[in-house]
Amino acid sequence: MVSTRFEVSSSPPVRYPKSIFFIISNEFSERFNYYGMRTVLALYLTQKLNNDDDTATVIYHVFTSLAYFFPMMGAILADSWMGKFKTILYLSMVYCIGSVLITLGAIPSFNLPATSMTVIGLLLIAVGSGGIKPCVSAFGGDQFKLPEQAIQLAKFFSLFYFAINAGSLISTTVTPILREDVHCFNDADCYPLAFGIPAILMIFSILIFVCGKSMYVIKKPAGNMVVMVFKCIGNALSTRAKEKDVNPKRHWLEYAEAKYGRKTVADIKVLLKILFLYIPLPVFWALFDQQGSRWTFQATRMNGEIGSFTIKPDQMQVINPLLILAFIPFFDALVYPILEKVGIKSPLQKLTFGGILAGAAFVLSGFVEIALDKTNAVMPSPSESQLRVFNGLPCDYHFKTDIPNFNTFTVQSLGSFEAIHLDTLQNTTYRFSANTSENYCIKANMSSITGTFFLNPGNSVSYFISQKSNKVNLVEYVDSPEKDKRGLPRVRILANIKTTSRVLLKNTWYPDAQYNVTLNKLAQMTVSDGEYDIFSENGTRRVASVKLELGGVYTLILHEVLENEFSLQRHILTPPNSLHMLWLVPQYVVITAGEVMFSITGLQFSYSQAPESMKSVIQAFWLLTVAIGNMLVVFIAEAKFVESQSVEFFLFAGLMFLDMALFMVLAMRYKYAETDNDIESGDNNVKKTNHNELGEPKSKLDQDPLEKGLENVKPSYTNEAYRED
């Protein structure tokens, strides 16, 4: 009897690539660097480099625009020349140099040209960050063997997206704390640390990436589809110019069929139809990316105190990534089913609604700005002057002047007088005389004062009445009611004191915040907010106390009533930030809801409608809409169409609504490509394609494209399911 033995062999499962750890760690560190630096960038440009809000907005959005323009260049570089590994490595080095330059420029003791180093650093970061953006996740996809590891590849993209958001959330939370709560180089803040920690992580990301080289699957460049599209279009235009009279075609692109084939030309036709819909899309990003510029400047003029904790203005940006993670499942489970019941079903309808929400968010920000205007400093116009008189003596003084509309006024004891809208077309002088009838000043030979007020157009001037050598002393100094760009209190101490020339301010909320003040300098200084005890020169005896609130501009009059007995009067030149920062939450919620409906839906629509060969190209042009949107902000900020910030917010909102009206017209003329759902419902009004309901290519068995090895998908762009920020 002969027995036959059968052995069933099965191939061992393919292990998860160890190289993925290095790629995920690299992405986390790089995103921490990018978002950490960008979170504090706008405030650095205004607070340290002394740019006004408009200039800082321009620099911020030019940088952001370049960061979304260079992904196309990075993809072409990787796919057509250097390969993804070398592109990531070399551009990461460029990125790192940019981060180090900004950090070094922020160190005041080095006395480096901070503005130049910042501009050069931002350019290098834009080149590096943008260039590697389309390469890192695609390089991670190269590490998997398909179709065997299709499920593992899907998990990788989930981990990759998690690394992006983790880096964003942590850095957006931490860098404002490093900026404001840490003091270094004798400053009340520490921008070198806020830039330095992300820069160190960028260096760390390069080291991690290089350490995994021996484990990587490195594929050779295979050509870039974006380049091919432009070549095909160029060929069609040049051929049409030569042959349109001899060999007329129905469509101008068909002139390229001889060289590129009918299928390629047909795919590019579909691509152009989708790109035509992209024309209005940059306006959304013009609004969305102002979270890091205009909305951050808005937060600096608000009160962030919640109990003993104070929200930093730049920390408000963390709301967006937090809400994104919460909104994605919430919209899928609840919002979209509700919208379907009211007739908002198609992707283009959802995208339009998302754009309308962005406009609504700017309407909200406009109303917040109107409320903030009430707490803004009243600054003199170019044809006005401001005059203030502070009285440091225990007597009321009655003034007579030749100032129009202010011929007489009284400055009470330890009180003040202000005229903040004096018409002054040129340098002007006004004579005055003042007297008092109170016995203390009469006995001290201080019953009258005479002199001249000097006013200059566009400036503020103040005078302080004090006692010196038993005579009335009138001190003139340049004043300004302007708020601090960081939102901190500004204070000046005017003193009529004989027994000491210095005082010490100690913050009872933050014990490390102490300020030595020389009384005769009349200097205005920026301090931390909180309750302050004022001590005599040796710092042992408390003579007064005062509260200084965020955004307030104060003048303190300290008068020595008797020897070592003091009286303090606080005068508010500009009211503190009274509107709470949490009033910004509604506009963040609305614009984030708009982002979910606009960005995610737009990407899914584009990917599903694009031909298989054009999916990488459509992602490239999607990123370009972000770049163009940021340049639109630059144009509006530079053009200065309006002076009021609230009007500018309403202008952007109106532009968004008009833009979505145009998009609705374009969308109504668009014919959707057919999906499986359309086939099942019998909808014959759409064009049939080879995509399923997710926009993925269908095989004979309608398998997931990952199971088919993603044969026709160029990896440079298809991996990013959502916009990263």
Side-chain angles (χ1 to χ4, degrees), residues 57 61 283 285-288 290 294 355 358-360 362-363 365 629 632-637 645-659:
T57 298
H61 287 282
V283 178
W285 302 117
L287 274 65
F288 180 83
Q290 290 188 60
R294 294 296 198 196
F362 266 67
V363 171
S365 66
L632 180 61
V633 180
V634 172
F635 171 73
I636 292 178
Q645 184 59 66
S646 59
V647 174
E648 183 180 289
F649 284 147
F650 289 129
L651 173 65
F652 273 109
L655 180 62
M656 189 72 240
F657 293 142
L658 291 174
D659 185 67

Side-chain angles (χ1 to χ4, degrees), residues 513-680:
Q514 299 186 15
Y515 306 90
N516 277 297
V517 182
T518 301
L519 297 177
N520 59 2
K521 287 187 176 181
L522 300 176
Q524 191 179 58
M525 59 184 181
T526 302
V527 299
S528 302
D529 64 303
E531 294 276 359
Y532 279 89
D533 288 333
I534 302 178
F535 291 82
S536 59
E537 186 171 8
N538 57 18
T540 58
R541 189 167 61 85
R542 187 173 71 86
V543 299
S545 62
V546 66
K547 184 177 182 180
L548 305 177
E549 300 178 83
L550 288 170
V553 181
Y554 303 94
T555 294
L556 307 182
I557 299 179
L558 189 61
H559 171 64
E560 191 170 13
V561 181
L562 298 172
E563 186 173 346
N564 292 324
E565 290 187 14
F566 298 86
S567 176
L568 179 74
Q569 182 65 44
R570 184 186 74 166
H571 295 275
I572 300 175
L573 274 66
T574 302
N577 300 342
S578 55
L579 194 64
H580 202 279
M581 213 175 287
L582 292 181
W583 280 106
L584 293 176
V585 172
Q587 65 197 53
Y588 274 95
V589 172
V590 174
I591 203 166
T592 304
E595 182 194 7
V596 172
M597 299 193 69
F598 186 95
S599 180
I600 297 176
T601 303
L603 274 170
Q604 291 173 344
F605 163 80
S606 302
Y607 190 82
S608 67
Q609 297 294 296
E612 185 63 29
S613 62
M614 295 292 123
K615 294 190 184 297
S616 64
V617 182
I618 206 70
Q619 304 301 313
F621 281 98
W622 179 268
L623 292 177
L624 276 183
T625 65
V626 183
I628 296 170
N630 279 270
M631 291 308 299
L632 180 61
V633 180
V634 172
F635 171 73
I636 292 178
E638 282 288 272
K640 294 181 172 63
F641 292 116
V642 293
E643 292 295 329
S644 169
Q645 184 59 66
S646 59
V647 174
E648 183 180 289
F649 284 147
F650 289 129
L651 173 65
F652 273 109
L655 180 62
M656 189 72 240
F657 293 142
L658 291 174
D659 185 67
M660 285 298 99
L662 171 62
F663 184 78
M664 289 172 65
V665 173
L666 298 179
M668 286 189 292
R669 301 177 61 184
Y670 180 82
K671 293 183 179 180
Y672 285 88
E674 190 181 57
T675 66
D676 284 352
N677 289 340
D678 298 320
I679 295 173
E680 293 172 4

Side-chain angles (χ1 to χ4, degrees), residues 314-380:
D314 35 359
Q315 278 183 323
M316 292 300 294
Q317 297 175 56
V318 81
I319 294 176
N320 176 256
L322 280 174
L323 288 177
I324 279 288
L325 296 178
F327 277 0
I328 290 174
F330 175 72
F331 271 61
D332 287 337
L334 185 62
V335 176
Y336 288 143
I338 294 176
L339 290 177
E340 287 182 5
K341 293 181 179 179
V342 297
I344 301 176
K345 299 178 180 180
S346 71
L348 294 182
Q349 288 175 328
K350 294 176 183 177
L351 195 150
T352 304
F353 192 65
I356 292 172
L357 286 177
F362 266 67
V363 171
L364 293 175
S365 66
F367 283 119
V368 170
E369 189 67 27
I370 290 174
L372 280 174
D373 287 343
K374 299 176 182 178
T375 66
N376 286 347
V378 178
M379 303 297 294

Side-chain angles (χ1 to χ4, degrees), residues 229 233 251-253 265-278 611 614 618 621:
V229 168
I233 292 174
H251 193 283
W252 62 271
L253 266 175
V265 169
D267 287 350
I268 295 177
K269 286 182 183 178
V270 177
L271 172 71
L272 293 180
K273 187 174 69 169
I274 298 173
L275 293 183
F276 187 66
L277 283 176
Y278 277 18
M614 295 292 123
I618 206 70
F621 281 98

Side-chain angles (χ1 to χ4, degrees), residues 352-548:
T352 304
F353 192 65
I356 292 172
L357 286 177
F362 266 67
V363 171
L364 293 175
S365 66
F367 283 119
V368 170
E369 189 67 27
I370 290 174
L372 280 174
D373 287 343
K374 299 176 182 178
T375 66
N376 286 347
V378 178
M379 303 297 294
S381 71
S383 60
E384 290 182 339
S385 295
Q386 293 183 349
L387 170 66
R388 293 178 177 85
V389 181
F390 296 94
N391 185 2
L393 298 178
C395 312
D396 297 346
Y397 279 89
H398 309 284
F399 280 75
K400 293 182 178 180
T401 75
D402 53 356
I403 301 175
N405 301 321
F406 294 99
N407 299 123
T408 61
F409 60 85
T410 298
V411 186
Q412 296 180 342
S413 171
L414 304 186
S416 67
F417 161 82
E418 66 175 7
I420 59 177
H421 294 292
L422 295 176
D423 292 332
T424 312
L425 299 178
Q426 58 185 0
N427 294 347
T428 307
T429 60
Y430 293 105
R431 298 288 301 172
F432 74 86
S433 62
N435 60 74
T436 181
S437 58
E438 298 184 32
N439 290 333
Y440 174 85
C441 291
I442 292 175
K443 291 180 180 180
N445 196 28
M446 297 182 295
S447 60
S448 63
I449 317 169
T450 58
T452 304
F453 293 133
F454 297 90
L455 303 182
N456 299 320
N459 291 318
S460 299
V461 64
S462 292
Y463 292 86
F464 176 51
I465 306 171
S466 64
Q467 181 181 6
K468 186 176 182 180
S469 302
N470 293 325
K471 292 183 179 180
V472 178
N473 186 39
L474 195 67
V475 181
E476 177 188 347
Y477 61 91
V478 177
D479 208 351
S480 175
E482 186 175 9
K483 288 192 173 189
D484 178 67
K485 293 179 179 179
R486 291 167 290 182
L488 297 174
R490 299 178 68 192
V491 61
R492 175 183 279 108
I493 299 179
L494 306 177
N496 183 38
I497 295 177
K498 298 178 181 179
T499 57
T500 183
S501 61
R502 298 176 63 86
V503 293
L504 176 67
L505 275 67
K506 290 185 178 181
N507 194 317
T508 60
W509 293 3
Y510 312 107
D512 292 337
Q514 299 186 15
Y515 306 90
N516 277 297
V517 182
T518 301
L519 297 177
N520 59 2
K521 287 187 176 181
L522 300 176
Q524 191 179 58
M525 59 184 181
T526 302
V527 299
S528 302
D529 64 303
E531 294 276 359
Y532 279 89
D533 288 333
I534 302 178
F535 291 82
S536 59
E537 186 171 8
N538 57 18
T540 58
R541 189 167 61 85
R542 187 173 71 86
V543 299
S545 62
V546 66
K547 184 177 182 180
L548 305 177

